[in-house]
Amino acid sequence: MPFSHFGFREEILRAVQKAGYTRPTQVQAAAIPKGMAGNDLIAIAQTGTGKTAAFVLPMLHRLSEKRAEKPRGVRALILAPTRELALQIMENIRTYGQFLRVRVAAIYGGVDEDEQIAILKKGVEIIVATPGRLIDFIGRLKVDFEALETLVLDEADRMLHMGFLPDIEMIVENLPKRRQTLMLSATFPKEVESLARRFQYQPAMVQIGRRSNPADTVAQCVYEVQGHLKGLLLLELLKQPKFKRVLVFVRMKDGADRLTDFLKSSQVDVVKLHSSRTQEQRMKALQDFKDGKVQVMVATDIVARGIDIEGVTQVVNYDLPVNPEDYVHRIGRTGRAEAEGEAISFVPRGELNLLNILELFIGQRLDRKKLRGFDYHQVVPQSPLTEKPAKRDWRKRTREMELKREGKKPTPRAVKKAAGKPVPKRDRS
Ligand code: AMP
């Protein structure tokens, strides 16, 4: 089905064509008609499936088709869990809306607010925001939402996990009741269902693939590894030429710091992304990784969620996620938009229970791999009692040693001869 099938304005079709998209992805094919019709919608789609365009394209079309009721009000609001995702959505809106006249602002914490306030005061039609900073602004700046037509909650499950529910509730209280509400979520837990019931009106539901199922384009495996050897195992893997752009997830910020230092000291080009870094540092790290200036980015879940980086060849779960939903998100960073990717998880023996929970969650057994010397079967050295070589081997080895001591070469022939065994004569003819 071509994009022209949806009845988009020519300016949008041109932008889509310029972006190089030839046909809609599955979630776009299912969600765009509902979005265009003005219906409320829940889309359960894995990351990397093209879900941003699935809500942005109809939103842009509807905004540009209809004249604004108020000349300066905000007409669409998109809430996203992290600054990186908010910025990325804004960039996408700019790309898809490049032939239209839309003013869009991203509102997020961690940066000087003056610039954001100035943009808001000038008036924008679309706001992409993280809930915390927006709440702060709504109170102080009296942002006018009376003309709002569309609300989008992106990564709804993640926002709830991050404890944004009270903020979201407060924001929605400020919005007109008559609006289109689109909700996107990688998973569909009860909390998201209840949010939909409260904020949406007869939503259509679009579900791509099985619930909680990681992107199908990602080959997944786990490595058995002793905890203290994880860094060395990673180094070993990074030597393979196919490890070109590798996103490594760790659980804690200080873990990210330590691993980054270790990789740097081993001459790996690496950047790190976690919430204690300044916004500027985070953006620079992300850009260097996106531009291919570094081979590896080490990140924690909180910041890496939802961000779109082209050509991530491997996602490495250096630490297994405690929350299995995070696994789905993490590995969604590779194999995006139907490209092939690899997801590798390191599993120390003490975390086998986490692996079991994870496999139950995704409904799939992950392929086990080990690299000699790193796996935990090597923890206890092989015992000479249990692994005693056959008797004959002992004798053979003793003879070899004797020959060596005599300064002779322990060739198989010489060993046989020393044992008094018949040795076939050499063919000298
Ligand atoms: P998303 O799931 O929205 O983060 O999108 C993942 C990636 O897919 C982004 O790099 C998009 O530019 C790309 N993408 C979105 N829609 C299409 C399409 N129809 N054809 C090819 N690539 C797409």
Side-chain angles (χ1 to χ4, degrees):
M1 183 207 300
F3 272 98
S4 54
H5 177 87
F6 298 119
F8 285 133
R9 287 174 70 100
E10 184 273 329
E11 295 91 331
I12 294 177
L13 281 179
R14 215 173 345 138
V16 166
Q17 203 176 14
K18 200 169 161 201
Y21 304 168
T22 46
R23 60 188 176 86
T25 62
Q26 249 186 313
V27 67
Q28 290 163 1
I32 289 174
K34 315 259 191 250
M36 291 287 274
N39 297 337
D40 282 3
L41 173 77
I42 309 172
I44 310 296
Q46 295 142 25
T47 51
T49 51
K51 65 190 173 72
T52 315
F55 68 81
V56 170
L57 296 177
M59 183 186 83
L60 285 174
H61 173 87
R62 284 169 59 83
L63 290 186
S64 43
E65 281 288 278
K66 206 172 132 202
R67 282 177 66 91
E69 280 166 14
K70 286 182 77 178
R72 286 170 70 84
V74 178
R75 299 179 63 195
L77 170 65
I78 298 153
L79 295 178
T82 63
R83 314 163 198 183
E84 278 76 13
L85 187 54
L87 275 171
Q88 188 176 292
I89 295 169
M90 180 174 76
E91 275 168 26
N92 279 345
I93 295 175
R94 288 202 172 132
T95 305
Y96 303 139
Q98 61 187 291
F99 302 114
L100 299 164
R101 261 183 301 157
V102 283
R103 284 163 305 165
V104 48
I107 306 294
Y108 50 90
V111 287
D112 183 21
E113 46 181 56
D114 293 348
E115 202 181 318
Q116 296 180 0
I117 291 176
I119 297 173
L120 274 188
K121 282 192 171 155
K122 262 199 243 159
V124 290
E125 281 118 4
I126 306 172
I127 291 182
V128 190
T130 53
R133 174 62 69 101
L134 186 65
I135 285 278
D136 190 28
F137 277 13
I138 289 179
R140 286 167 31 212
L141 298 177
K142 312 248 172 306
V143 186
D144 181 4
F145 284 118
E146 259 177 54
L148 188 111
E149 294 157 41
T150 306
L151 166 69
V152 181
L153 302 176
D154 195 15
E155 304 233 344
D157 52 350
R158 182 61 173 174
M159 287 202 282
L160 296 183
H161 260 118
M162 287 170 74
F164 280 137
L165 181 61
D167 291 352
I168 295 174
E169 283 171 336
M170 215 190 288
I171 292 167
V172 175
E173 265 172 34
N174 281 275
L175 308 180
K177 295 262 174 308
R178 263 197 56 201
R179 56 163 199 263
Q180 181 184 34
T181 304
L182 309 173
M183 201 142 93
L184 294 103
S185 192
T187 56
F188 193 53
K190 286 210 165 52
E191 296 84 353
V192 174
E193 209 173 331
S194 125
L195 202 64
R197 262 201 306 272
R198 290 168 52 200
F199 293 162
Q200 295 189 303
Y201 176 71
Q202 297 185 345
M205 185 152 177
V206 165
Q207 190 166 339
I208 302 303
R210 279 179 43 212
R211 273 186 206 180
S212 322
N213 200 26
D216 296 333
T217 50
V218 181
Q220 303 165 62
C221 71
V222 299
Y223 271 91
E224 290 179 8
V225 59
Q226 300 178 51
H228 67 285
L229 293 182
K230 288 201 286 188
L232 287 174
L233 174 61
L234 180 61
L235 264 189
E236 200 55 37
L237 294 175
L238 289 174
K239 284 183 196 158
Q240 298 177 25
K242 65 173 182 175
F243 282 69
K244 290 197 178 73
R245 193 168 296 176
V246 187
L247 181 52
V248 180
F249 281 99
V250 291
R251 220 172 280 153
M252 318 284 274
K253 287 181 249 178
D254 58 339
D257 289 338
R258 265 182 279 128
L259 180 60
T260 308
D261 291 346
F262 168 73
L263 292 175
K264 268 191 191 152
S265 69
S266 311
Q267 273 70 54
V268 175
D269 290 326
V270 54
V271 288
K272 61 183 172 186
L273 196 67
H274 62 64
S275 59
S276 290
R277 312 216 79 207
T278 64
Q279 185 59 24
E280 217 168 285
Q281 287 171 325
R282 284 158 66 163
M283 275 155 67
K284 164 104 176 55
L286 199 55
Q287 203 54 52
D288 283 354
F289 187 59
K290 279 185 176 177
D291 293 347
K293 286 189 189 154
V294 292
Q295 182 190 12
V296 179
M297 181 160 81
V298 176
T300 54
D301 288 294
I302 197 106
V303 281
R305 178 120 172 177
I307 53 171
D308 178 34
I309 303 158
E310 262 178 44
V312 172
T313 48
Q314 283 84 15
V315 165
V316 175
N317 293 310
Y318 187 85
D319 295 323
L320 272 184
V322 178
N323 174 2
E325 282 170 14
D326 283 337
Y327 177 82
V328 181
H329 283 273
R330 285 180 176 191
I331 76 162
R333 309 298 98 217
T334 184
R336 290 177 85 74
E338 284 144 36
E340 299 258 316
E342 242 184 314
I344 297 161
S345 303
F346 289 179
V347 186
R349 193 196 282 275
E351 294 187 2
L352 279 170
N353 59 335
L354 278 183
L355 177 64
N356 292 342
I357 294 170
L358 178 67
E359 289 182 322
L360 278 176
F361 182 80
I362 59 173
Q364 189 180 338
R365 188 182 184 278
L366 299 177
D367 196 15
R368 264 75 168 160
K369 288 191 176 174
K370 34 182 154 172
L371 209 64
R372 235 181 121 74
F374 292 95
D375 57 309
Y376 32 76
H377 294 299
Q378 302 280 332
V379 177
V380 183
Q382 288 184 345
S383 159
L385 291 176
T386 52
E387 299 288 335
K388 196 170 162 184
K391 248 186 181 164
R392 230 179 313 137
D393 287 344
W394 279 112
R395 288 211 192 102
K396 195 172 149 200
R397 271 201 220 162
T398 317
R399 266 179 222 117
E400 279 172 355
M401 271 154 51
E402 279 169 1
L403 282 170
K404 271 190 200 161
R405 235 179 282 138
E406 289 165 20
K408 292 178 188 159
K409 251 191 173 173
T411 58
R413 193 183 161 84
V415 172
K416 265 192 180 171
K417 216 173 157 184
K421 286 190 183 160
V423 181
K425 282 202 173 144
R426 286 184 203 276
D427 182 3
R428 298 188 188 276
S429 59

